[in-house]
Amino acid sequence: MKLRRIEVKDFRKLGHVVIDDLGDGLNVIVGDNEAGKSTLLAALRAALFERHRVGGAAAAAMQPYNQSVRPEVVLEFERGGVGWTLRKAFCQRQEAELSGNGERYTGDAVEDKLAEMFGFTPPSSGGTKPQEHHGVFGLLWVEQGTSHRALGIGAGRNHLASALEREIGQVTGGERGRALLTAAEARRDQFWDKRGNARGEFKALAGQVETDRQHLADLERQLAEHDERVNRLAGIQNILARHQRDDTLEAARMRAAAAREAFAAVSGLAEALRAAEGAVERAKLKRDAAEARAVTRLKLIADLAGDKTGLDAANAARGEAAAAYARLEGLAAEASARREAAGHAEQQAVAALHRLERAAARRQAAEAAGRLGGQLKLAEEADEARRKALALVQASALAAEDIEALEKLERALDQARMRLEAASVRIALHPEGAQAAQLDGKPVADGEALLLSRDARLVLEGYGAVEIRPGGGTEAWCGPLRRRGRSLRRRCAGSGKPTCLPRARRCAGRMPPAPRSRRMAPPSRPLRPTASTRCGRKLRAMRC
């Protein structure tokens, strides 16, 4: 098998890497630490030995840190002089494709074909284990830091043994070969245990080597510190030699003397500067005072100009006020004339109002006369009915006190009936369309007025039932009405003449309401003036 090209996408830390033009023989991949060399070998191993449908920890190990992508590996290789192309995608939308030699495989058929070509045993589930599943080709995979461990060829052990037997015969194969292998394993077990950890003298020597390495590191650190101190001392010595060569001390003394002289001169200048600053401060105070006086003067000038402007404005306002006063006098004269005209118009309006009031009074008197005429006619008819009723009463055998008692009961009965009617509920139904209504099971005609003095149930077609409960104390008036009716019947029945009560009722029904409130006089007394007489007198007075 010869690798020709490797392409990796989104596999661990590798975003997109392509390595092509791989030639025969040894190919070396060079890169810095953590550049991805081991990751590239892991991607190559996944393409050959991992199933594309693998999940769990094996699939999670292919993903970049804290990302969820689709790792993909494309491998081009030759086997037996025939070129093949293998492509696998993991984790998301898993896919596998193998093509070459006029053949093409996809899906799980790719895994079976690879196991057949390279003679390894694929795992039934989960990721592959090099010691168990990679076979002879596991010898090619030496991971970083595991070169000292024993070779693990797993299921390819028998295949390797048979190959060695065919190549070198009984020297390394057969019983001798197995004996050599056993001796090699025994020798290995003297230095390492089954987990690959050092043991025995080798372990002690390894510990000693580690101690020596640490001691060497300490010595190298001390040597570096010593070299650094030596370098600093050499630098100081160079500086000292340069100072001695350049006579730096004498030059420094001369510079110090010059500095003292300069300091004395600077002190004198500083004193002069302080005096000059005092003079400048006094000049500033004088200047500030002059500026304050100038500002005050400018302010007075501005106030004078403002007063002059105000005086001019006052004079102008005085002229305007005089003109306005003249206009107001003219307006006052005009208003006086208008007031006189308004007084004359008011007098005319009062006279017209009096005429209108007299006309309205006449019209109202005419209307009242018409109404009184109608009332007179009704009063005359009522008086005639009263005389007829009185004649009927005189013809009856009832005494005066019986008639008075009957009238009193009749009035009480009428009052109770009127109060009951006033407290009852009046309902008029005007349905739209052909809807019908029923009151307590009886049909109600369209537009019929209903007077309800007790609880009732009204059924409306297309709506439902309505419960009606009249207020106003109707139940309190129904009892007295029934009691007074029974008293009137008992009074008439006690007189011994059954015809007196119907006659008294007809007489009471024909008489107007006003005379019924008065007490009926005995037949022997003269009749009082009736309502018709009074209406006639009033009508004659209005006509006059």
Side-chain angles (χ1 to χ4, degrees):
M1 174 182 176
K2 298 179 181 179
L3 298 178
R4 296 304 182 190
R5 183 178 182 273
I6 303 174
E7 182 179 359
V8 181
K9 293 181 181 179
D10 298 328
F11 192 94
R12 296 186 186 175
K13 66 174 66 176
L14 299 179
H16 187 195
V17 175
V18 178
I19 299 177
D20 50 8
D21 296 333
L22 295 175
D24 297 340
L26 182 63
N27 293 272
V28 180
I29 300 176
V30 181
D32 295 334
N33 289 337
E34 300 299 326
K37 300 184 296 297
S38 301
T39 304
L40 182 64
L41 293 178
L44 182 60
R45 175 181 289 180
L48 292 174
F49 301 112
E50 295 289 356
R51 290 183 175 272
H52 67 284
R53 299 184 187 276
V54 69
M62 301 179 189
Q63 294 276 10
Y65 178 74
N66 201 23
Q67 295 185 28
S68 178
V69 294
R70 184 176 183 243
E72 185 175 354
V73 181
V74 179
L75 179 63
E76 296 181 5
F77 61 93
E78 292 181 5
R79 185 174 183 274
V82 179
W84 294 85
T85 301
L86 172 64
R87 185 173 64 86
K88 282 189 179 182
F90 303 91
C91 300
Q92 300 180 12
R93 304 191 306 277
Q94 298 97 333
E95 186 178 2
E97 181 180 1
L98 176 64
S99 59
N101 197 22
E103 303 175 5
R104 183 176 179 274
Y105 303 89
T106 58
D108 293 336
V110 174
E111 313 296 347
D112 297 338
K113 183 62 177 178
L114 290 175
E116 178 185 350
M117 292 173 65
F118 299 114
F120 65 89
T121 304
S124 58
S125 61
T128 61
K129 298 179 181 180
Q131 300 291 337
E132 299 179 7
H133 304 112
H134 292 183
V136 177
F137 285 92
L139 296 174
L140 302 175
W141 307 106
V142 181
E143 295 183 355
Q144 186 175 3
T146 61
S147 59
H148 63 281
R149 296 181 183 177
L151 296 176
I153 58 177
R157 180 184 299 273
N158 296 331
H159 180 74
L160 181 59
S162 60
L164 289 174
E165 288 179 359
R166 287 195 303 269
E167 291 294 331
I168 58 176
Q170 295 296 324
V171 177
T172 56
E175 294 296 333
R176 292 182 180 181
R178 283 187 286 273
L180 289 174
L181 183 58
T182 302
E185 290 178 351
R187 188 65 174 170
R188 183 201 62 188
D189 293 340
Q190 291 179 1
F191 299 99
W192 293 282
D193 57 10
K194 293 182 178 180
R195 297 182 178 179
N197 298 324
R199 62 192 303 180
E201 296 179 359
F202 181 72
K203 182 177 181 180
L205 292 174
Q208 184 64 36
V209 170
E210 185 64 28
T211 303
D212 294 341
R213 286 177 180 174
Q214 293 179 358
H215 182 63
L216 178 61
D218 293 338
L219 293 176
E220 290 177 351
R221 179 177 54 78
Q222 294 175 7
L223 179 60
E225 293 176 355
H226 177 72
D227 291 340
E228 185 178 357
R229 288 195 295 269
V230 171
N231 292 333
R232 286 201 302 271
L233 180 59
I236 294 172
Q237 289 177 350
N238 292 331
I239 294 172
L240 181 58
R242 188 172 61 254
H243 286 320
Q244 291 177 355
R245 184 176 59 254
D246 297 339
D247 198 6
T248 307
L249 179 60
E250 186 63 28
R253 288 174 181 174
M254 295 176 64
R255 286 196 297 271
R260 283 192 292 269
E261 294 176 357
F263 179 73
V266 168
S267 298
L269 292 175
E271 187 67 25
L273 178 61
R274 284 193 293 270
E277 287 178 350
V280 169
E281 189 67 26
R282 290 190 295 272
K284 286 182 178 179
L285 292 175
K286 293 180 181 180
R287 186 195 61 185
D288 293 340
E291 288 179 353
R293 290 193 298 272
V295 169
T296 304
R297 183 180 178 183
L298 293 175
K299 184 177 180 182
L300 291 174
I301 293 172
D303 293 341
L304 181 61
D307 294 340
K308 185 177 181 180
T309 302
L311 180 62
D312 295 340
N315 292 331
R318 180 181 177 183
E320 293 177 357
Y325 181 72
R327 288 195 301 272
L328 290 175
E329 286 183 348
L331 292 174
E334 185 180 355
S336 178
R338 290 181 180 179
R339 184 182 63 183
E340 293 177 358
H344 182 67
E346 182 182 6
Q347 293 177 359
Q348 294 178 355
V350 169
L353 180 62
H354 289 166
R355 289 193 298 273
L356 291 175
E357 288 179 350
R358 287 193 296 271
R362 286 194 297 272
R363 185 171 63 254
Q364 292 177 358
E367 293 175 355
R371 289 195 300 271
L372 287 176
Q375 293 177 2
L376 177 61
K377 184 177 180 180
L378 293 175
E380 290 176 352
E381 292 177 357
D383 194 19
E384 182 65 23
R386 178 173 176 272
R387 283 191 173 87
K388 291 181 181 180
L390 184 60
L392 290 175
V393 171
Q394 290 176 355
S396 64
L398 292 176
E401 58 271 18
D402 294 333
I403 294 174
E404 185 176 358
L406 288 174
E407 287 180 348
K408 185 176 181 180
L409 289 174
E410 186 71 19
R411 288 195 299 272
L413 183 62
D414 292 340
Q415 290 178 0
R417 185 179 293 107
M418 287 187 293
R419 288 174 180 176
L420 181 61
E421 290 178 359
S424 299
V425 178
R426 289 173 173 81
I427 299 176
L429 301 178
H430 302 284
E432 295 181 359
Q435 287 82 359
Q438 293 183 357
L439 180 64
D440 293 336
K442 297 180 180 180
V444 179
D446 184 10
E448 179 182 356
L450 302 178
L451 184 64
L452 303 178
S453 60
R454 57 182 177 80
D455 296 346
R457 179 182 176 85
L458 181 62
V459 180
L460 303 176
E461 183 179 351
Y463 176 77
V466 179
E467 298 290 340
I468 301 175
R469 293 183 175 86
T474 56
E475 295 296 332
W477 294 111
C478 289
L481 180 62
R482 290 192 291 269
R483 289 195 299 272
R484 288 168 183 170
R486 288 196 296 270
S487 299
L488 182 60
R489 287 193 296 272
R490 285 197 301 270
R491 187 76 178 179
C492 291
S495 63
K497 295 183 179 181
T499 58
C500 66
L501 183 59
R503 289 179 182 177
R505 285 180 177 175
R506 284 194 300 271
C507 292
R510 293 190 184 98
M511 294 175 66
R516 290 177 63 184
S517 63
R518 296 195 304 272
R519 196 171 183 178
M520 186 175 288
S524 60
R525 297 175 61 184
L527 295 175
R528 296 179 181 180
T530 61
S532 61
T533 304
R534 291 193 297 273
C535 289
R537 292 175 182 175
K538 188 174 181 180
L539 181 61
R540 285 192 296 272
M542 290 183 66
R543 287 174 179 173
C544 292

